[in-house]
Amino acid sequence: MQAVRIIPCLDIDGGRVVKGVNYLDLRDAGDPVELAKAYSRAGADELVILDITATPDGRDTTLAVVARAAEEVFIPLTVGGGIRNRADARRLLRAGADKISVNSAAVERPALLAELAEEFGTQCVVLAVDVKRSVLDGDAREHGCPRFEVVTHGGRRRTGVDALEWTSGASQRGAGELLVTSMDRDGTESGYDLELLAAIASATELPLVASGGVGNLEHLAAGFLEGGADGLLAASIFHFGRHSIADARSYLASRGVPVRP
Amino acid sequence: MIAVLDYGIGNLRSAEKALQFVGADARLVTDANTARRADGVVLPGVGAFGACALALGAHGLDEVVVEAVSAGKPTLAVCVGMQLLFDSSEESPGVAGLGILPGRVRRLPPGVRRPQMQWNLVTPVGSAPGQLVEKEEWFYFVHGYVAQPDEASDVAATCDYGGTMAAAVSRGTLFATQFHPEKSGNAGLALLERFARTCAS
């Protein structure tokens, strides 16, 4: 059967969780490994660690975090942030990551996806796509620019690439999963961009993880029911203790979303 | 000692760590003769069928698996490791599998997300030898292809994904899972613990 995945996301900088965490009884709430263990115990289906560090030293710290997590966390772990080539991916996979998420580097050099797939298999290649709506929105097409545009560098750089074209070609290029973040919604807690998700979901057969904007449990449900996503990623609603993984699971089940009990 | 066969592919660390976590003396082993001395053998696999089959052979570890199975040594194959037990795969035409179990590996049917990348409910087939799936439980899957055994008696567990598929197969002391026990939380750790016990006995 199909079962939608609930995926907490940890942003880390220099080996520490950046967004505050004030739930559960953690010895060190800033330690990503402690938090990963807690989410795993609480029944998360997968975990995503995004390294938002800008320095090479920080990257080494991330490797150490992944290696420590692999000792004690036995659910799938996706790691993203700053992966530019096979050597970067190899180091993380050897440390214990199960999937590698690439974003800006794949936009700059799409062949990276095929290179990673060839060495590690498509099942560990996640194409992360950050998307912004055109300021023209519904009229964008008439003006020859994409309505949903791929952006990079944390949303600061527009690329002119049409997000629907980029994601529908991702499977052929070597990706095994899509992680789509609406940069318009990220941090707003106003819900996923459901129109964006639905457009992407209908044009790919790859698993689709929704990201950006979750502020309550109904937003998670809508990600599946209206957006067609089969992975539901969220950060703050879990980190700030507003909802537990179990809350999310029972709410989703009550809305008819297929989840692992 | 349990030898986790290391033929240079993907993340093998999690299989080794999960076995160690349940108390097994598991080690990544690249050398065929060291693997031959182990009490049990784990054949992991991630990536493409052809790449795995070729790398396994290049390390001389294909023979280790065949010998272990025919000698009745506990052997656990995981994901593409399970697929390698069969004759061939649509994923890599022209590359032979180990041919230990008769059957072919085929692409998942259309109409479902491919690859399957999720937890799925696994139902044991009661009479399977060496059953490591004790009851209906959820396990984590990541795969785009699936084995179709010729012999129904080789099927140890099933799940539903665009139709009923073989989630685990077994024959004698050989057990194999399409899902990843090392990534399936407590259910997976319990399965690995059962395997480790058969190796120790």
Side-chain angles (χ1 to χ4, degrees), chain B residues 115-136:
Chain B
Q116 174 175 209
M117 192 174 282
Q118 62 164 15
W119 296 71
N120 204 335
L121 185 62
V122 173
T123 306
V125 175
S127 58
Q131 182 60 273
L132 294 179
V133 181
E134 287 191 333
K135 56 180 193 289
E136 275 207 334

Side-chain angles (χ1 to χ4, degrees), chain B residues 26 28 30 37 42 44 91 108 117 120 124 132 135 156 180 184-185 195:
Chain B
L28 292 179
T30 52
R37 289 195 294 274
V42 175
E91 186 178 16
L108 284 172
M117 192 174 282
N120 204 335
L132 294 179
K135 56 180 193 289
H180 287 270
S184 298
F195 174 70

Side-chain angles (χ1 to χ4, degrees), chain B residues 44-83:
Chain B
V46 293
F49 179 93
C52 285
L54 296 174
L56 191 69
H59 284 74
L61 292 170
D62 49 348
E63 290 169 17
V64 170
V65 178
V66 173
E67 287 168 21
V69 172
S70 58
K73 187 182 283 190
T75 303
L76 176 65
V78 174
C79 196
V80 178
M82 164 169 152
Q83 297 176 8

